[in-house]
């Protein structure tokens, strides 16, 4: 049973527009959510995170929104840039650095110039 | 900050041999390190969790005698793939956590293993 789901395997967006990547989770015990960006043959790079006590966290062009009642979070990138093209993984944990992350399958974002 | 290195970045070995992959946290002490495996176009699958000075906890379906994990210090964990077979060919990634609240893990660049 997949606890973290990214239902869109790919997304194409024009440069300068907003990219919205979605993620759903099923385990209500998760209370910390993270987004990672990954290029081929490289390890994931931490982007942004959000605690379950918040509904929004912003860092530059990246904003993550959390809807706990819907068990849904989204990553907004605005404006999108060609360098943002990568695979984005949503991950969840129980707010402890010693707890493994549960990853979604990823969404491949392509930003078209 | 929060840099994690892996060595080697890629390795080719013959079937039946063993391969050791190192994971180091360069600028922080990692109380916990995680080992993941990624197949092409798939998500990262957790293999095991290792805490410094104690035995690793393996995920269901991962053979602990085949994938030996050692976390001897707060900055180093090793994964040894013993008696490697072609089906062990994969991209292995480690991550490290300093154990604080928040759940951030910092990933190494990964190791591409090809078993011929």
């Amino acid at each position: 049973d997949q606890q973290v789901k990214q239902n869109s395997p790919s997304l194409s967006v024009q440069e300068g527009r907003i990219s919205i990547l979605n993620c759903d989770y099923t385990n209500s015990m998760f209370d910390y959510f993270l987004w990672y960006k990954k290029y081929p043959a490289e390890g994931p790079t931490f982007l942004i995170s959000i605690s379950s006590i918040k509904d929004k966290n912003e860092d530059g062009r990246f904003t993550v929104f959390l809807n706990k009642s819907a068990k849904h979070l989204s990553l907004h990138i605005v404006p999108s840039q060609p360098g943002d093209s990568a695979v984005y993984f949503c991950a969840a944990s129980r707010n402890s650095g010693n707890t493994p992350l549960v990853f979604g399958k990823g969404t491949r974002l392509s930003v078209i110039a | 900050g929060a840099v994690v290195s892996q060595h080697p970045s890629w390795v080719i070995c013959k079937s039946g041999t063993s391969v050791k992959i190192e994971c180091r946290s360069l600028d922080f002490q990692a109380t916990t390190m995680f080992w993941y495996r990624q197949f092409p176009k798939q998500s990262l699958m957790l293999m095991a969790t290792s805490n410094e000075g104690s035995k690793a906890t393996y995920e269901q379906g991962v053979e602990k005698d085949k994938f030996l994990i050692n976390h001897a210090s707060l900055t180093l964990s090793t994964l040894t793939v013993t008696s490697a077979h072609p089906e062990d060919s994969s991209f292995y990634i480690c991550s490290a956590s300093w154990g604080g609240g928040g759940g951030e893990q910092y990933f190494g660049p990964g190791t591409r293993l090809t078993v011929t």
Side-chain angles (χ1 to χ4, degrees):
Chain A
D1 179 36
Q2 206 176 348
Q3 298 184 68
V4 177
K5 301 177 184 178
Q6 292 177 258
N7 293 318
S8 297
S10 63
L11 174 68
S12 289
V13 173
Q14 275 201 312
E15 181 179 7
R17 300 289 184 103
I18 184 171
S19 296
I20 300 176
L21 298 102
N22 293 303
C23 178
D24 297 293
Y25 62 96
T26 57
N27 190 339
S28 58
M29 297 297 289
F30 291 141
D31 51 14
Y32 205 76
F33 305 91
L34 308 92
W35 284 94
Y36 284 85
K37 176 180 179 180
K38 186 179 182 302
Y39 294 111
E42 291 185 10
T45 303
F46 171 73
L47 271 179
I48 192 169
S49 61
I50 188 167
S51 164
S52 61
I53 63 174
K54 296 185 176 180
D55 55 18
K56 177 183 176 181
N57 188 25
E58 189 173 354
D59 183 2
R61 296 187 297 115
F62 302 92
T63 303
V64 56
F65 295 92
L66 174 63
N67 183 332
K68 276 191 68 178
S69 61
K71 294 191 177 68
H72 176 84
L73 62 153
S74 60
L75 174 68
H76 292 210
I77 306 173
V78 55
S80 302
Q81 300 173 354
D84 296 330
S85 298
V87 177
Y88 289 79
F89 288 97
C90 170
S93 78
R94 295 188 187 183
N95 200 28
S96 165
N98 295 330
T99 304
L101 294 175
V102 180
F103 283 89
K105 288 191 174 182
T107 296
R108 181 176 299 279
L109 174 65
S110 299
V111 180
I112 305 163
Chain B
V3 178
V4 177
S5 70
Q6 270 183 253
H7 178 80
S9 56
W10 61 271
V11 58
I12 301 173
C13 71
K14 291 188 176 181
S15 188
T17 61
S18 295
V19 174
K20 180 185 284 188
I21 303 170
E22 291 185 350
C23 177
R24 293 181 186 272
S25 57
L26 299 184
D27 52 0
F28 66 101
Q29 293 187 326
T31 55
T32 306
M33 287 186 170
F34 305 89
W35 287 94
Y36 296 84
R37 182 174 178 177
Q38 186 183 28
F39 293 102
K41 299 184 179 180
Q42 297 290 321
S43 184
L44 292 90
M45 300 300 296
L46 179 68
M47 298 175 65
T49 302
S50 75
N51 292 295
E52 185 264 339
S54 59
K55 288 184 178 180
T57 302
Y58 290 82
E59 295 300 298
Q60 192 173 12
V62 178
E63 299 175 58
K64 62 180 181 181
D65 294 329
K66 181 170 184 59
F67 298 99
L68 301 178
I69 292 172
N70 183 278
H71 192 165
S73 77
L74 285 172
T75 60
L76 173 65
S77 176
T78 60
L79 167 67
T80 301
V81 183
T82 62
S83 187
H85 290 284
E87 57 264 31
D88 298 326
S89 299
S90 190
F91 192 59
Y92 293 87
I93 309 175
C94 72
S95 71
S97 168
W98 57 274
E104 285 98 354
Q105 294 176 21
Y106 299 92
F107 285 81
T111 297
R112 169 73 60 193
L113 170 64
T114 301
V115 184
T116 61

